[in-house]
Amino acid sequence: MTSTRPHRAASNLSKVPYLPGLDGMRALAVAAVLVYHANPTWLPGGFLGVEVFFVISGYLITLLLMAERERTGTVRIGAFWMRRARRLLPALFLMLFLLITYTWMFRAEELGKLRGDVIAALFYVSNWYQIWVGQGYSATGDFAPLRHLWSLAVEEQFYLLWPVAMLFLLRRNGTRNLALTARWLVVAAIAVTVLTALVYHPGRIGDCSVNPEAYWTIGDRCISKADTLYLSTITRSSGLLLGAAFAMLWRPMAIMRGPLRNAGRLLDLIALAGLGFLCLFVWTIHFVTPAGADPWLFRGGFLWTALATLMMIAAVTHSRTITAKVLGNPVFLYVGTRSYGLYLFSWPIYQIIREVAGNVLSFREFVVALILTMIITELSYRFIEMPVRRRQVAAWWESLRVRRDPVPRQIAAVTVVATLLVLAFGVLRLGLADVEQNEIAAALDAGQENVTSLDELLGTGGDEGAAGADPPPSATTVPAVADTAVAAATTTSTTTTTTTTTLPKEPVDYLAIGDSVMLGAAGVLSNRGYTVNAEVSRQMVDVVPVMEQLADADLFGDPVVIHLGTNGPFTKETLDAFLAPLSSVPNVIMLNIRAERPWTASNNALLQERDRPGDNIILIDWQGLSQGCTGNCFSADGIHLSADGQRFYADVIGDVTGR
């Protein structure tokens, strides 16, 4: 598909010189992402580096399309797509080959779940696939080595559609009247931002069954609003659109021919301000927290990040700025030119080291992962990516063919055949593998069969009261008594009618209330005589009204076992409100938290304060005692319980309760 407009003499105003400062910006962006992916607590907003990539892509791709139109009088869309394929596909195929090989060799049980991710990656629809499949609570226990490909899918979809749009715009307006188009792209970016802010859910995300208002329901599938807004091409297009709009207004060659050629110092100040804003954003903005998706992100955060990025682009594309020289230094150039490979290979390596998605890397693990990533990236860049981009593969193969020494040809042939055989076997294993639940999800599903819901505790669930319905399992049906304490009965010659009612439920001894850690051990606890009420994604603040309801119904027996705090922080006020309904219970057994989470220390400190002599609170140091568990105790996340851990957990509680 090409433009048929007659070609006029090229003015070279849209010519794209090499801009080393853009590679420097890529280096900063990928560094932020690498740190964030390793451990979000180190740089909570490091994921915004992806937005910087989007803006740079929108700017540079639009500039290149405009330059081609100006230079040749046409936009060859097929040639553009082929250049993008040579740039992106070799490293992607290498990464997928290495990953599939590793998985069938060392983690074959994960192949079934990996299959969908691989197919989505090959068609560059990983973002939509992840939205549809959903992450969910127990997905933190998955081996998820391709989750990072969502951003590459967004960019590739842009590369697919934007040249077609530019062909239409350039045919209609040429390269001289695109300033008018730029303003409509800005309007579109603002509209996307407003749409995102309106759809954004301000409360907790949790699990679909716990926080359904944070999800859309399509059939029996829950679609996370936060995931959709973060991953979808539409809601993440604002940066791409603003980058494209800026390219129509800020062409490096044209700028240097106008009055702005002497504005270097002013642009340096603007770039410094933009960098300051980006540093502030990556340090303070989060994606999600226990309280929910970050409003600062979904109510304009992407737009402001894009604008700050444009402030820097304005400087690094100006040849007379200090910013361009600083960001174009050799170290930044090296990292920036390899930023694609660093992003592509780092996440799978991180996942292999930490085993499951929910774990974070220690600093030592991060250093090891970074070294491995740099080695693989460099090998890929030198021996795979650059030869393909420069079309040197055919020449290399021809050089082997004409050599007199047959050994190099034989080595190359054996290597190719061995690679194809390994790939074929891996693809076969991938295609035939069953989809298996991760260990955490399986344990939680099994635990669900042994829990007692709040409605069952209160006797308000099910079809109670309906004709023919059975009474609750623990309720007692007896004749009603009148004020005189004499049973009221009416007898006729043919029938006798007795009015009945349901007495209040008896207090529940050995009641255990918890989150997913306790849910995993629900089967063992239930077998030992505990009544377990546990849910995934549960936080203490959510259970305060539950405790009040149970107290009002006089359902607290002795003892009551509590294990909460894994899923988010709580305050002293929340803890006091939670424990107030338990003030008359002789023995309240509380377990502290074992989890590598930012709030673990503060939650455990608050629990420790309540373990006072003479009080009814007895604290079990689960964080410390769990270290003594031997055997298959914990899932890969180090939090949820495996078979031996479930029994050990019940034993630790039983040492205090006597059951």
Side-chain angles (χ1 to χ4, degrees):
M1 187 183 299
T2 59
S3 172
T4 58
R5 183 171 178 169
H7 172 53
R8 294 184 297 179
S11 64
N12 288 326
L13 291 179
S14 296
K15 180 181 178 181
V16 185
Y18 176 55
L19 301 167
L22 288 181
D23 279 326
M25 290 184 63
R26 289 190 181 100
L28 294 176
V30 77
V33 173
L34 290 176
V35 172
Y36 173 79
H37 281 172
N39 191 330
T41 62
W42 294 344
L43 199 64
F47 60 87
L48 290 172
V50 172
E51 191 68 12
V52 174
F53 278 115
F54 286 167
V55 179
I56 293 174
S57 293
Y59 176 78
L60 196 54
I61 293 302
T62 303
L63 209 57
L64 289 169
L65 292 170
M66 292 167 59
E68 183 181 2
R69 171 63 170 79
E70 190 176 77
R71 184 179 66 255
T72 67
T74 185
V75 173
R76 295 179 298 169
I77 294 180
F80 171 85
W81 286 338
M82 185 58 65
R83 289 194 299 271
R84 288 291 90 196
R86 287 199 303 270
R87 171 70 179 89
L88 300 174
L89 292 181
L92 175 67
F93 289 163
L94 175 63
M95 185 271 291
L96 291 176
F97 167 72
L98 294 175
L99 178 63
I100 292 171
T101 302
Y102 167 83
T103 306
W104 72 253
M105 290 180 66
F106 300 105
R107 303 193 61 163
E109 72 280 0
E110 307 288 355
L111 282 170
K113 279 194 172 182
L114 186 64
R115 180 171 53 240
D117 288 298
V118 170
I119 294 172
L122 291 173
F123 288 95
Y124 278 103
V125 291
S126 293
N127 60 327
W128 297 109
Y129 175 76
Q130 290 177 30
I131 289 170
W132 180 249
V133 172
Q135 304 308 318
Y137 180 86
S138 60
T140 57
D142 283 336
F143 175 63
L146 296 178
R147 195 166 289 174
H148 65 314
L149 294 186
W150 73 269
S151 64
L152 301 183
V154 171
E155 288 210 36
E156 188 65 20
Q157 291 160 35
F158 172 73
Y159 296 151
L160 184 66
L161 299 175
W162 187 239
V164 179
M166 283 295 292
L167 177 66
F168 171 78
L169 294 172
L170 291 171
R171 176 181 292 173
R172 182 174 181 178
N173 300 325
T175 58
R176 296 187 177 184
N177 300 315
L178 286 176
L180 294 176
T181 304
R183 71 180 182 184
W184 291 113
L185 296 180
V186 173
V187 170
I190 294 173
V192 168
T193 302
V194 172
L195 173 66
T196 301
L198 292 175
V199 175
Y200 158 76
H201 171 69
R204 284 188 52 225
I205 298 173
D207 191 80
C208 185
S209 60
V210 180
N211 304 100
E213 66 280 359
Y215 294 80
W216 291 297
T217 302
I218 301 178
D220 60 351
R221 185 176 296 275
C222 291
I223 306 296
S224 167
K225 294 179 181 178
D227 284 349
T228 302
L229 295 178
Y230 187 82
L231 298 172
S232 81
T233 309
I234 298 170
T235 53
R236 293 307 299 271
S237 64
S238 58
L240 293 162
L241 292 171
L242 287 176
F246 195 60
M248 297 175 184
L249 302 173
W250 191 270
R251 292 178 286 175
M253 297 299 292
I255 292 299
M256 296 311 296
R257 296 184 185 184
L260 288 174
R261 65 179 178 274
N262 297 319
R265 299 294 81 81
L266 174 61
L267 292 173
D268 282 329
L269 292 175
I270 292 174
L272 186 61
L275 179 61
F277 286 131
L278 288 176
C279 290
L280 176 65
F281 296 158
V282 299
W283 189 256
T284 59
I285 290 179
H286 298 70
F287 172 29
V288 293
T289 69
D294 192 338
W296 291 100
L297 176 64
F298 291 100
R299 290 176 175 169
F302 293 124
L303 182 69
W304 288 112
T305 300
L307 292 174
T309 303
L310 293 179
M311 294 168 70
M312 294 188 66
I313 290 177
V316 301
T317 55
H318 193 288
S319 62
R320 298 182 181 178
T321 61
I322 298 174
T323 306
K325 295 180 176 62
V326 171
L327 292 184
N329 71 80
V331 175
F332 280 23
L333 282 182
Y334 178 86
V335 175
T337 53
R338 292 154 177 79
S339 58
Y340 173 62
L342 290 171
Y343 181 86
L344 192 64
F345 293 108
S346 61
W347 178 265
I349 291 173
Y350 286 4
Q351 292 302 99
I352 290 171
I353 291 175
R354 61 186 167 202
E355 297 187 6
V356 297
N359 291 346
V360 297
L361 296 181
S362 67
F363 181 76
R364 181 179 179 181
E365 291 173 332
F366 173 58
V367 172
V368 172
L370 205 55
I371 292 172
L372 292 174
T373 298
M374 293 179 68
I375 292 173
I376 296 176
T377 297
E378 183 63 24
L379 293 174
S380 171
Y381 184 80
R382 286 183 179 272
F383 300 111
I384 303 293
E385 298 172 55
M386 293 309 295
V388 172
R389 289 170 66 180
R390 294 170 178 169
R391 304 185 181 185
Q392 296 173 338
V393 176
W396 170 78
W397 189 261
E398 180 65 16
S399 70
L400 288 179
R401 191 183 68 81
V402 300
R403 291 184 62 163
R404 293 182 179 180
D405 184 0
V407 174
R409 293 198 301 272
Q410 293 169 354
I411 293 175
V414 170
T415 302
V416 170
V417 171
T419 300
L420 292 176
L421 288 175
V422 171
L423 177 61
F425 185 75
V427 171
L428 182 64
R429 291 285 304 274
L430 186 74
L432 297 178
D434 294 328
V435 178
E436 299 181 16
Q437 281 187 312
N438 66 59
E439 185 181 8
I440 296 173
L444 297 183
D445 281 353
Q448 290 287 359
E449 301 176 2
N450 297 281
V451 298
T452 303
S453 69
L454 177 63
D455 285 340
E456 290 173 321
L457 287 171
L458 295 172
T460 59
D463 295 326
E464 263 181 21
D470 294 329
S474 57
T476 304
T477 303
V478 298
V481 292
D483 291 344
T484 59
V486 178
T490 304
T491 304
T492 65
S493 58
T494 57
T495 62
T496 300
T497 302
T498 304
T499 304
T500 64
T501 189
T502 301
L503 289 179
K505 296 168 68 71
E506 295 293 328
V508 180
D509 293 330
Y510 294 93
L511 175 62
I513 298 174
D515 53 28
S516 59
V517 178
M518 181 179 285
L519 178 59
V524 179
L525 291 172
S526 178
N527 289 337
R528 298 188 184 186
Y530 294 86
T531 299
V532 181
N533 176 258
E535 295 179 359
V536 301
S537 194
R538 188 179 241 179
Q539 294 191 37
M540 185 175 289
V541 67
D542 301 322
V543 193
V544 171
V546 173
M547 304 301 286
E548 294 171 348
Q549 286 180 277
L550 294 173
D552 290 341
D554 196 24
L555 288 177
F556 287 129
D558 184 46
V560 175
V561 181
I562 306 293
H563 195 183
L564 293 167
T566 306
N567 295 307
F570 53 79
T571 63
K572 181 179 183 300
E573 291 72 23
T574 297
L575 181 59
D576 290 342
F578 177 86
L579 292 175
L582 296 167
S583 59
S584 61
V585 176
N587 296 287
V588 177
I589 317 299
M590 301 196 75
L591 289 82
N592 66 9
I593 305 152
R594 172 199 165 103
E596 191 172 346
R597 298 288 184 266
W599 51 83
T600 297
S602 60
N603 283 1
N604 285 349
L606 288 173
L607 292 173
Q608 185 64 49
E609 291 176 4
R610 295 306 302 260
D611 185 21
R612 298 186 290 260
D615 206 343
N616 67 335
I617 307 297
I618 302 172
L619 181 65
I620 294 177
D621 181 19
W622 174 242
Q623 185 182 47
L625 292 173
S626 61
Q627 306 299 324
C629 183
T630 58
N632 181 25
C633 294
F634 296 96
S635 301
D637 66 355
I639 300 173
H640 294 89
L641 301 168
S642 299
D644 294 333
Q646 294 167 15
R647 290 187 290 271
F648 184 83
Y649 182 84
D651 289 342
V652 166
I653 295 173
D655 288 342
V656 178
T657 65
R659 175 174 290 187

